[in-house]
Amino acid sequence: VRARVMEVEQKPDVGYEDIGGIDAQMEEVRETVELPLESPEMFDDVGIDAPSGVLLHGPPGTGKTMLAKAVANQTDATFIRMAGSELVHKFIGEGAKLVRDLFELARQYQPAVIFIDEIDAIAAKRTDSKTSGDAEVQRTMMQLLSEMDGFEERGDISIIAATNRFDMLDRAILRPGRFDRLIEVPKPDAEGRELIFEIHTRDMNVADEVDFAELADIATTASGAEIKAVCTEAGMFAIRDDRTEVRTEDFEQAWEKIDHEDDAEDGEVS
Ligand code: ATP
């Protein structure tokens, strides 16, 4: 459980070059978010509304948070994150107040990117979730939608939401003027995995024999977050063996370990 409800980063240290395997998604986020933040007057001059909210959806650990941070970094916008789960199980009126505070904070810091993670926690279909039947959760969501609708200087504040459970979402939030740009962020393919291995080993002392394409073929089900974990764990195997150079066998053992941890976790929930 996080102590701080909102996380504010003036200059997130994530760039587009740190993100691998989701180029098309990155392009779409850039086009939707960068232009309104950098040239809001263009939209006024042309006489159309800038895109409202972007919804990123896909499995855990695929780079959704990274994308939001990178776009904030690129546009010199402040990154403000809040998780939907932190807005539920609150006292009456508290969730809605937190939403108001969130937008107030964004107005103070603008240009700003508001990132709402786990949006499903407050925007699930009524039938599908215990929490969304809760009138209090409904009110929190209504507050979010009304903040989005009432945006006069929307150009300087961008809203990006993310979820791992797209199918659970209440379709009302996907209507025009709300989260009307949907971008699916999938797990990486083989080429993407190879790239992500390269990204996360940039600062590592890796033996020449290590072939990232081969590793990508072994870790077939890995997300970006898991590949990062494999790289760190491979380094640990080298250290345990009293070596400073990381070898193929270290990566292989690391993947085996991370893959098994996942199986154990899956076993717990089912
Ligand atoms: P969640 O849905 O669980 O919140 P997410 O999709 O927001 O996950 P991130 O928080 O962006 O995932 O990723 C976690 C970490 O995994 C990142 O900080 C990064 O180190 C690594 N990672 C994930 N995806 C990628 C990627 N496409 N390229 C490079 N690194 C990645």
Side-chain angles (χ1 to χ4, degrees), residues 14 16-22 56 58-69 81 115 117-118 162-164 185-186 188 192 195-197 199-200 223-229:
V14 179
Y16 295 124
E17 70 285 358
D18 299 320
I19 305 175
I22 46 175
L56 306 176
T62 47
K64 298 183 287 298
T65 308
M66 286 186 100
L67 272 176
K69 283 190 175 179
R81 175 184 172 279
F115 180 65
D117 209 355
E118 307 166 40
T163 181
N164 304 324
V185 185
L195 243 162
I196 299 172
F197 266 114
I199 289 169
H200 287 290
S223 66
E226 285 167 333
I227 292 175
K228 184 192 178 175

Side-chain angles (χ1 to χ4, degrees), residues 96-220:
K97 183 180 183 305
L98 282 168
V99 170
R100 280 199 300 278
D101 291 350
L102 177 67
F103 281 79
E104 186 48 45
L105 200 67
R107 278 189 281 270
Q108 276 170 32
Y109 279 107
Q110 63 179 296
V113 170
I114 294 180
F115 180 65
I116 304 172
D117 209 355
E118 307 166 40
I119 184 108
D120 46 276
I122 55 166
K125 271 181 240 164
R126 272 146 240 207
T127 47
D128 277 21
S129 136
K130 283 178 229 121
T131 51
S132 67
D134 187 333
E136 189 47 27
V137 172
Q138 294 280 333
R139 269 198 287 277
T140 304
M141 192 58 217
M142 292 313 293
Q143 184 65 41
L144 174 62
L145 294 180
S146 100
E147 291 283 353
M148 288 178 75
D149 291 343
F151 245 6
E152 272 153 32
E153 294 156 285
R154 179 190 285 155
D156 289 350
I157 302 175
S158 263
I159 309 173
I160 303 178
T163 181
N164 304 324
R165 301 165 175 183
F166 181 64
D167 50 309
M168 276 187 45
L169 291 184
D170 186 338
R171 292 293 175 256
I173 76 156
L174 309 179
R175 281 190 202 134
R178 296 176 170 176
F179 293 100
D180 50 11
R181 278 294 188 117
L182 307 181
I183 303 177
E184 185 180 0
V185 185
K187 278 196 180 187
D189 60 11
E191 206 180 309
R193 292 193 298 275
E194 182 179 346
L195 243 162
I196 299 172
F197 266 114
E198 278 165 17
I199 289 169
H200 287 290
T201 50
R202 269 184 210 144
D203 297 328
M204 285 173 64
N205 185 8
V206 176
D208 291 339
E209 43 127 22
V210 174
D211 179 344
F212 294 123
E214 213 171 89
L215 294 177
D217 282 339
I218 297 171
T220 47

